[in-house]
Amino acid sequence: MPTIKTVAFIGLGVMGYPMAGHLAKQGLTTRVYNRTASKAEAWVNDYGGSAHPTPRDAASGADLVLLCVGNDDDVRDVTTGENGALHAMGNGSFLVDHTTASADLALELDAACRERGVAFIDAPVSGGQQGAENGALTVMCGGQQAHFDTVEPLLAHYARAVTLMGGASSGQLTKMVNQICIAGLVQGLAEGLHFAEQAGLDQQRVIDVVSKGAAGSWQMENRHKTMIADEYEHGFAVDWMRKDLAICLAQARRFDATLPATALVDQFYADVQRQGGGRWDTSSLLKRLRKAQ
């Protein structure tokens, strides 16, 4: 099994910044790139390693390159673009994409990597900023078993679960299932809290009771307090959720899968955006209901 000693991490947002930090704390030589250079310099001050002016420079000499950027176009830019990482990656190296992106992009990258003798894993994550900081993410992977076996111990530095779901694009398809489920859960929680409020019930006491039964969920446990307090300046942004749901709905049309609840919640998030809540946490669906009173 290949030994990975030098890694490059591209994309130091709220997720990538702590994820790359976990790798550096394990003693790996870590090279970073971020579109806003000052963020990369701040990361180096926090964790060591080295900052580089382009993805290509960061990837030069790296055994493993990891990505965590915004969308399909961003991934293409930092991989196959003019200064993309793939131009510097050698035969036998590994590329892992943590971006939540389309299944088509995963297949496209897999083909581009094969041409260069690079192993590719699509590996979107769930768990949010808190999960990234605590090293407790869930990572859903697509790729070849042998490649997965090599990178899994490295991904485990910031994850509580790293699972190979199948061939290339399987990780992205699984992440779509994750987002579809979350959309319905958050809307249900928002409606439940709204109903309790309108009924004059103590919302916290209601949650204390129902969370111990079949209604309990991660969303209920981690978001009910801020929802009750009408606080949403944290967590996973509505803008990013709508990006993800657009991917889910487009893929569903290809499969002839029917996602009526997901499509409806996507439109509810559009309402939140019109309220100026594009950067609010996804639990802000409750704010939409309160406004409708």
PDB file of all heavy atoms in Angstrom, residues 6-20:
ATOM      1  N   THR A   6       3.019  13.541   2.244  1.00  0.00           N
ATOM      2  CA  THR A   6       2.798  14.942   1.889  1.00  0.00           C
ATOM      3  C   THR A   6       1.410  15.096   1.288  1.00  0.00           C
ATOM      4  O   THR A   6       1.052  14.375   0.352  1.00  0.00           O
ATOM      5  CB  THR A   6       3.855  15.427   0.877  1.00  0.00           C
ATOM      6  OG1 THR A   6       5.157  15.275   1.444  1.00  0.00           O
ATOM      7  CG2 THR A   6       3.631  16.889   0.515  1.00  0.00           C
ATOM      8  N   VAL A   7       0.632  16.015   1.831  1.00  0.00           N
ATOM      9  CA  VAL A   7      -0.722  16.248   1.336  1.00  0.00           C
ATOM     10  C   VAL A   7      -0.885  17.717   0.953  1.00  0.00           C
ATOM     11  O   VAL A   7      -0.203  18.597   1.481  1.00  0.00           O
ATOM     12  CB  VAL A   7      -1.791  15.861   2.383  1.00  0.00           C
ATOM     13  CG1 VAL A   7      -1.663  14.395   2.765  1.00  0.00           C
ATOM     14  CG2 VAL A   7      -1.703  16.737   3.620  1.00  0.00           C
ATOM     15  N   ALA A   8      -1.774  17.953   0.017  1.00  0.00           N
ATOM     16  CA  ALA A   8      -2.163  19.319  -0.343  1.00  0.00           C
ATOM     17  C   ALA A   8      -3.657  19.451  -0.088  1.00  0.00           C
ATOM     18  O   ALA A   8      -4.427  18.544  -0.445  1.00  0.00           O
ATOM     19  CB  ALA A   8      -1.842  19.607  -1.804  1.00  0.00           C
ATOM     20  N   PHE A   9      -4.056  20.548   0.538  1.00  0.00           N
ATOM     21  CA  PHE A   9      -5.479  20.777   0.792  1.00  0.00           C
ATOM     22  C   PHE A   9      -5.870  22.079   0.098  1.00  0.00           C
ATOM     23  O   PHE A   9      -5.292  23.138   0.372  1.00  0.00           O
ATOM     24  CB  PHE A   9      -5.776  20.858   2.284  1.00  0.00           C
ATOM     25  CG  PHE A   9      -7.191  20.472   2.623  1.00  0.00           C
ATOM     26  CD1 PHE A   9      -7.483  19.242   3.182  1.00  0.00           C
ATOM     27  CD2 PHE A   9      -8.250  21.332   2.331  1.00  0.00           C
ATOM     28  CE1 PHE A   9      -8.799  18.869   3.469  1.00  0.00           C
ATOM     29  CE2 PHE A   9      -9.559  20.983   2.608  1.00  0.00           C
ATOM     30  CZ  PHE A   9      -9.834  19.745   3.183  1.00  0.00           C
ATOM     31  N   ILE A  10      -6.863  21.994  -0.769  1.00  0.00           N
ATOM     32  CA  ILE A  10      -7.297  23.121  -1.591  1.00  0.00           C
ATOM     33  C   ILE A  10      -8.707  23.522  -1.183  1.00  0.00           C
ATOM     34  O   ILE A  10      -9.649  22.735  -1.332  1.00  0.00           O
ATOM     35  CB  ILE A  10      -7.233  22.747  -3.080  1.00  0.00           C
ATOM     36  CG1 ILE A  10      -5.781  22.458  -3.472  1.00  0.00           C
ATOM     37  CG2 ILE A  10      -7.835  23.847  -3.939  1.00  0.00           C
ATOM     38  CD1 ILE A  10      -5.627  21.829  -4.829  1.00  0.00           C
ATOM     39  N   GLY A  11      -8.824  24.718  -0.632  1.00  0.00           N
ATOM     40  CA  GLY A  11     -10.118  25.214  -0.179  1.00  0.00           C
ATOM     41  C   GLY A  11     -10.208  25.249   1.332  1.00  0.00           C
ATOM     42  O   GLY A  11     -10.424  24.209   1.952  1.00  0.00           O
ATOM     43  N   LEU A  12     -10.024  26.431   1.904  1.00  0.00           N
ATOM     44  CA  LEU A  12      -9.971  26.555   3.366  1.00  0.00           C
ATOM     45  C   LEU A  12     -11.152  27.365   3.890  1.00  0.00           C
ATOM     46  O   LEU A  12     -10.994  28.345   4.608  1.00  0.00           O
ATOM     47  CB  LEU A  12      -8.646  27.205   3.786  1.00  0.00           C
ATOM     48  CG  LEU A  12      -7.378  26.443   3.371  1.00  0.00           C
ATOM     49  CD1 LEU A  12      -6.130  27.261   3.701  1.00  0.00           C
ATOM     50  CD2 LEU A  12      -7.318  25.076   4.048  1.00  0.00           C
ATOM     51  N   GLY A  13     -12.349  26.916   3.529  1.00  0.00           N
ATOM     52  CA  GLY A  13     -13.555  27.540   4.056  1.00  0.00           C
ATOM     53  C   GLY A  13     -13.850  27.036   5.453  1.00  0.00           C
ATOM     54  O   GLY A  13     -12.976  26.499   6.131  1.00  0.00           O
ATOM     55  N   VAL A  14     -15.096  27.175   5.883  1.00  0.00           N
ATOM     56  CA  VAL A  14     -15.451  26.780   7.247  1.00  0.00           C
ATOM     57  C   VAL A  14     -15.262  25.284   7.472  1.00  0.00           C
ATOM     58  O   VAL A  14     -15.057  24.837   8.601  1.00  0.00           O
ATOM     59  CB  VAL A  14     -16.897  27.193   7.604  1.00  0.00           C
ATOM     60  CG1 VAL A  14     -17.041  28.703   7.602  1.00  0.00           C
ATOM     61  CG2 VAL A  14     -17.909  26.549   6.657  1.00  0.00           C
ATOM     62  N   MET A  15     -15.291  24.502   6.395  1.00  0.00           N
ATOM     63  CA  MET A  15     -15.062  23.068   6.511  1.00  0.00           C
ATOM     64  C   MET A  15     -13.591  22.723   6.289  1.00  0.00           C
ATOM     65  O   MET A  15     -12.965  22.035   7.092  1.00  0.00           O
ATOM     66  CB  MET A  15     -15.925  22.314   5.490  1.00  0.00           C
ATOM     67  CG  MET A  15     -17.412  22.555   5.623  1.00  0.00           C
ATOM     68  SD  MET A  15     -18.088  21.795   7.108  1.00  0.00           S
ATOM     69  CE  MET A  15     -17.987  20.073   6.670  1.00  0.00           C
ATOM     70  N   GLY A  16     -13.043  23.195   5.186  1.00  0.00           N
ATOM     71  CA  GLY A  16     -11.685  22.836   4.812  1.00  0.00           C
ATOM     72  C   GLY A  16     -10.627  23.287   5.795  1.00  0.00           C
ATOM     73  O   GLY A  16      -9.631  22.576   6.011  1.00  0.00           O
ATOM     74  N   TYR A  17     -10.823  24.450   6.396  1.00  0.00           N
ATOM     75  CA  TYR A  17      -9.823  24.996   7.328  1.00  0.00           C
ATOM     76  C   TYR A  17      -9.534  24.025   8.476  1.00  0.00           C
ATOM     77  O   TYR A  17      -8.379  23.635   8.701  1.00  0.00           O
ATOM     78  CB  TYR A  17     -10.317  26.342   7.850  1.00  0.00           C
ATOM     79  CG  TYR A  17      -9.261  27.215   8.487  1.00  0.00           C
ATOM     80  CD1 TYR A  17      -8.714  28.284   7.766  1.00  0.00           C
ATOM     81  CD2 TYR A  17      -8.834  27.026   9.800  1.00  0.00           C
ATOM     82  CE1 TYR A  17      -7.763  29.126   8.344  1.00  0.00           C
ATOM     83  CE2 TYR A  17      -7.890  27.849  10.378  1.00  0.00           C
ATOM     84  CZ  TYR A  17      -7.354  28.903   9.647  1.00  0.00           C
ATOM     85  OH  TYR A  17      -6.413  29.728  10.221  1.00  0.00           O
ATOM     86  N   PRO A  18     -10.561  23.564   9.219  1.00  0.00           N
ATOM     87  CA  PRO A  18     -10.267  22.607  10.290  1.00  0.00           C
ATOM     88  C   PRO A  18      -9.898  21.220   9.778  1.00  0.00           C
ATOM     89  O   PRO A  18      -9.099  20.512  10.411  1.00  0.00           O
ATOM     90  CB  PRO A  18     -11.567  22.567  11.105  1.00  0.00           C
ATOM     91  CG  PRO A  18     -12.626  23.045  10.190  1.00  0.00           C
ATOM     92  CD  PRO A  18     -11.970  24.017   9.267  1.00  0.00           C
ATOM     93  N   MET A  19     -10.437  20.804   8.644  1.00  0.00           N
ATOM     94  CA  MET A  19     -10.094  19.489   8.102  1.00  0.00           C
ATOM     95  C   MET A  19      -8.605  19.416   7.783  1.00  0.00           C
ATOM     96  O   MET A  19      -7.916  18.455   8.148  1.00  0.00           O
ATOM     97  CB  MET A  19     -10.941  19.195   6.851  1.00  0.00           C
ATOM     98  CG  MET A  19     -12.413  18.966   7.143  1.00  0.00           C
ATOM     99  SD  MET A  19     -13.467  19.080   5.669  1.00  0.00           S
ATOM    100  CE  MET A  19     -13.044  17.546   4.838  1.00  0.00           C
ATOM    101  N   ALA A  20      -8.098  20.436   7.110  1.00  0.00           N
ATOM    102  CA  ALA A  20      -6.666  20.479   6.811  1.00  0.00           C
ATOM    103  C   ALA A  20      -5.855  20.543   8.102  1.00  0.00           C
ATOM    104  O   ALA A  20      -4.766  19.961   8.206  1.00  0.00           O
ATOM    105  CB  ALA A  20      -6.355  21.687   5.924  1.00  0.00           C
TER     106      ALA A  20
END
